[in-house]
Amino acid sequence: MNTKKSSIAALEKGRVRRRDIKNAETEIGLKLRALYASVQEEEIPARFLDLLEKLDEAERNAQPSN
């Protein structure tokens, strides 16, 4: 009888752990999505835009003329 109770207790602990892990994974996923969304909404700094423009200009100048 004692073995049966300990087996049931072990199964219940396993269920709780799986549930806790699933809840933690869900929460991590939600926080990562929120972080990604906030990064997407950020403005591109002016210095990056300037660098991109310089790169575009350098690529245009480096292309051979036909």
Side-chain angles (χ1 to χ4, degrees), residues 25-41:
E25 289 172 351
T26 300
E27 188 166 336
I28 290 169
L30 290 171
K31 289 185 183 222
L32 285 172
R33 284 185 192 91
L35 175 64
Y36 181 76
S38 71
V39 169
Q40 280 185 313
E41 293 172 4

Side-chain angles (χ1 to χ4, degrees), residues 1-64:
M1 186 89 157
N2 237 355
T3 305
K4 188 175 182 180
K5 284 183 182 179
S6 63
S7 296
I8 292 171
L11 287 174
E12 287 174 357
K13 282 184 183 179
R15 287 185 192 130
V16 170
R17 286 185 185 144
R18 278 188 238 124
R19 189 178 317 130
D20 289 344
I21 290 169
K22 185 67 175 169
N23 289 340
E25 289 172 351
T26 300
E27 188 166 336
I28 290 169
L30 290 171
K31 289 185 183 222
L32 285 172
R33 284 185 192 91
L35 175 64
Y36 181 76
S38 71
V39 169
Q40 280 185 313
E41 293 172 4
E42 288 181 10
E43 264 189 58
I44 298 172
R47 66 180 187 269
F48 288 172
L49 294 174
D50 291 340
L51 287 172
L52 289 171
E53 183 58 40
K54 288 178 184 178
L55 178 61
D56 286 342
E57 185 178 331
E59 286 177 346
R60 283 190 299 268
N61 292 336
Q63 291 178 350

